[in-house]
């Protein structure tokens, strides 16, 4: 959804804001950015680039950190494309490998246990519109082959069928990982990467477009003041400085949460720095001591990588049996523990997709491998990982 900023925000009314549709009441929390502004010069250039891409039918790959507004960009591309069909958003990381095949390409009745009736997949559901595949880097390699064929032939074949169905679907994919690096590591198919990356959109993190920080903060202040039934609030000079000085590791979604909390606890309608729930402990700290030591000419201890290499040389010299499996298991276990058993964070630490991580976790006994998947249906009352909009 695209609109103009309200005049009361104190910003130029010509600046555009992209927002997500309202979620149903009682819906699950989301880590998606809910608003995107283009006040910063870099953002304005980005919007111009996106507008030019939108008018074509080329596949688009949007790359950006979590919470930067990748789905908002995808929705804007669809809105400006002139396509009359629906916009369908799908999170590739929300499904198991056995489930996403049927969901993506559809299936016929009897195609697998529990398939009592035929069902169209997401590609068919997007006919005449746009299919947004978020977290495309989590797509299993077996399905990457099928996706590549669909993009090349512009048709899909349901599971259990031999009849191709012609498609008129524009694909927009998004990822928060370096797909080029995943290609080099053979975790992502190079041919699919080049097919998706026809038109690239590099969405910078919020810290690299500081001109958007205060306009976004004021947008969320207006939004939550209305929801809370409060009169409009304002930011003190010190609070503005604090917002601009913070690095925003959680990007726009973190900014929204910070503003929401600040409005709840602020006194007399003025938000002060003490009302801003910023978490500097999450930010990388500069190696001050190391920098001083180098400047002073003090000998430095060996780096972590050189120490690791020395250990590996020692193990190789000893002829340790099963060395590769031992090292791999130790690396995977360490990343999993470091991420407090959060698969998404552990995968990011290792630079692999979540499905690759799950395979590694199962291989080394760190994750139970379900004996079977009884059906390809979503569990009762589960939130659907795909969103449909006209």
């Amino acid at each position: 959804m695209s609109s103009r900023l309200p005049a009361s925000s104190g910003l130029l009314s010509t600046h555009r804001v992209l927002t997500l549709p309202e979620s149903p009441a009682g819906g699950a929390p989301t880590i998606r950015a809910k608003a995107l502004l283009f006040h910063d010069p870099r953002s304005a250039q980005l919007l111009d680039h996106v507008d030019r891409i939108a008018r074509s039918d080329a596949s688009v790959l949007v790359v950006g950190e979590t919470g930067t507004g990748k789905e908002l960009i995808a929705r804007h591309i669809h809105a400006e494309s002139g396509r009359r069909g629906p916009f369908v958003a799908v999170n590739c990381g929300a499904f198991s490998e056995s489930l996403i095949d049927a969901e993506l390409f559809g299936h016929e009745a009897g195609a697998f246990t529990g398939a009592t009736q035929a069902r169209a997949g997401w590609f068919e559901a997007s006919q005449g519109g746009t299919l947004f595949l978020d977290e495309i880097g989590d797509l299993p390699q077996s399905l990457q082959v099928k996706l590549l064929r669909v993009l090349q032939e512009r048709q899909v074949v349901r599971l259990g069928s031999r009849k191709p169905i012609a498609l008129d679907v524009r694909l927009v994919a998004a990822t928060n990982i370096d797909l080029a690096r995943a290609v080099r590591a053979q975790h992502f198919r190079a041919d699919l990467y080049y097919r998706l990356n026809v038109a690239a959109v590099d969405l910078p993190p919020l810290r690299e477009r500081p001109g958007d920080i205060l306009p976004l903060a004021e947008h969320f202040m207006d939004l939550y003041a209305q929801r809370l039934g409060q009169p409009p609030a304002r930011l003190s000079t010190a609070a503005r400085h604090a917002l601009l000085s913070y690095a925003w590791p959680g990007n726009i979604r973190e900014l929204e949460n910070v503003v929401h909390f600040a409005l709840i606890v602020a006194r007399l309608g003025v938000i002060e720095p003490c009302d801003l729930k910023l978490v500097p402990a999450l930010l990388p700290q500069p190696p001050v001591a190391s920098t001083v030591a180098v400047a002073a000419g003090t000998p430095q201890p060996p780096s972590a990588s050189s120490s690791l290499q020395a250990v590996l040389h020692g193990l190789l010299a000893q002829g340790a049996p099963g060395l590769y499996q031992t090292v791999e298991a130790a690396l995977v276990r360490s990343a999993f523990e470091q991420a407090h058993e959060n698969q998404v964070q552990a995968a990011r630490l290792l630079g692999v997709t979540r499905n690759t991580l799950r395979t590694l976790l199962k291989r080394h006994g760190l994750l139970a491998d379900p004996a079977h998947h009884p059906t390809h249906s979503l569990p009762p009352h589960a939130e659907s990982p795909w969103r449909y909009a006209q």
Side-chain angles (χ1 to χ4, degrees), residues 195-233:
R195 176 66 67 169
L196 293 172
N197 199 31
V198 176
V201 176
D202 186 8
L203 191 53
L206 187 57
R207 60 184 172 273
E208 294 181 9
R209 37 192 170 109
D212 291 342
I213 294 175
L214 293 181
L216 276 168
E218 294 189 4
H219 168 78
F220 290 127
M221 286 168 60
D222 290 342
L223 176 67
Y224 282 102
Q226 293 178 11
R227 291 185 180 179
L228 296 171
Q230 297 179 356

Side-chain angles (χ1 to χ4, degrees), residues 71-83:
E71 182 176 334
L72 289 167
I73 290 294
R75 287 179 177 272
H76 181 66
I77 289 173
H78 172 69
E80 297 297 315
S81 69
R83 285 186 160 266

